[in-house]
Amino acid sequence: MARAILLRQLTLGPRSRLQLERKLRDRNVPMEVAAALLDRFEDVGLVDDAEFARMWVRGRGEAKSLGRSALRRELNEKGITGDLAEEALEELTPDAEEESARRLLARRVRPFDRTDPAARDKELRRLVGLLARKGHSPGSAFRLAAQVIDADSGDNVLEQRPY
């Protein structure tokens, strides 16, 4: 029964060892059985926390434009901590993180009266808050949002920086 639970979970998508342990605990599988089965799944490569962490950082960093701190927090919730999490986060280069944030801002910037300083400040605060909630550092969030807002045309912001 425990093997079927694990295989079903893994067909839904990659899972960390902690996530699978929690699922087995929720299904009242004895912890000795769960540990032995998870060890076997790790031996044959079906459960690999390092690979899971790399895939999670790559996928969530690109798809959701998340910054390092948000990704670190999500990995921690999945049971990936310490060196394993830091190794996965090293794959997210600062340039890639910044480009992801720029793309997000380019999609989310709203038209505003560029001659009105109050309207500019309001949009700047909104965009900085958006990046802050996505786990980007305050300094880079402010810098990137200001660059997007100060661009000549709001619809082609990505041309400011070469790829």
Side-chain angles (χ1 to χ4, degrees), residues 5-47:
I5 293 169
L6 290 178
L7 290 173
R8 193 172 325 115
Q9 286 298 306
L10 291 171
T11 57
L12 297 173
R15 301 281 189 264
S16 70
R17 182 177 174 114
L18 180 66
Q19 288 176 299
L20 294 171
E21 284 176 2
R22 288 176 180 162
K23 182 56 78 171
L24 291 173
R25 186 178 48 233
D26 292 346
R27 300 291 297 269
N28 298 322
V29 173
M31 288 317 298
E32 306 81 42
V33 173
L37 194 55
L38 286 168
D39 289 342
R40 176 68 182 140
F41 272 51
E42 280 183 341
D43 291 343
V44 297
L46 291 173
V47 176

Side-chain angles (χ1 to χ4, degrees), residues 45-138:
L46 291 173
V47 176
D48 184 354
D49 280 353
E51 182 60 26
F52 172 81
R54 283 191 295 276
M55 287 183 351
W56 188 264
V57 167
R58 200 170 31 251
R60 299 286 288 179
E62 291 173 10
K64 298 290 184 181
S65 301
L66 296 179
R68 286 178 182 276
S69 64
L71 289 167
R72 186 177 290 113
R73 184 176 52 250
E74 286 186 354
L75 286 173
N76 190 33
E77 291 169 1
K78 308 260 182 254
I80 311 295
T81 58
D83 291 340
L84 211 52
E86 292 308 315
E87 288 174 19
L89 289 168
E90 284 176 10
E91 290 187 16
L92 180 65
T93 65
D95 288 341
E97 185 178 5
E98 189 173 297
E99 283 306 315
S100 176
R102 282 181 184 281
R103 284 192 300 274
L104 175 66
L105 291 175
R107 289 190 316 264
R108 300 303 267 307
V109 67
R110 294 179 184 162
F112 64 94
D113 180 7
R114 294 187 181 273
T115 62
D116 182 8
R120 180 193 182 280
D121 288 347
K122 181 178 178 183
E123 183 65 7
L124 181 64
R125 284 191 309 272
R126 188 183 72 78
L127 293 176
V128 169
L130 170 70
L131 288 181
R133 287 187 299 279
K134 295 280 189 174
H136 294 275
S137 70

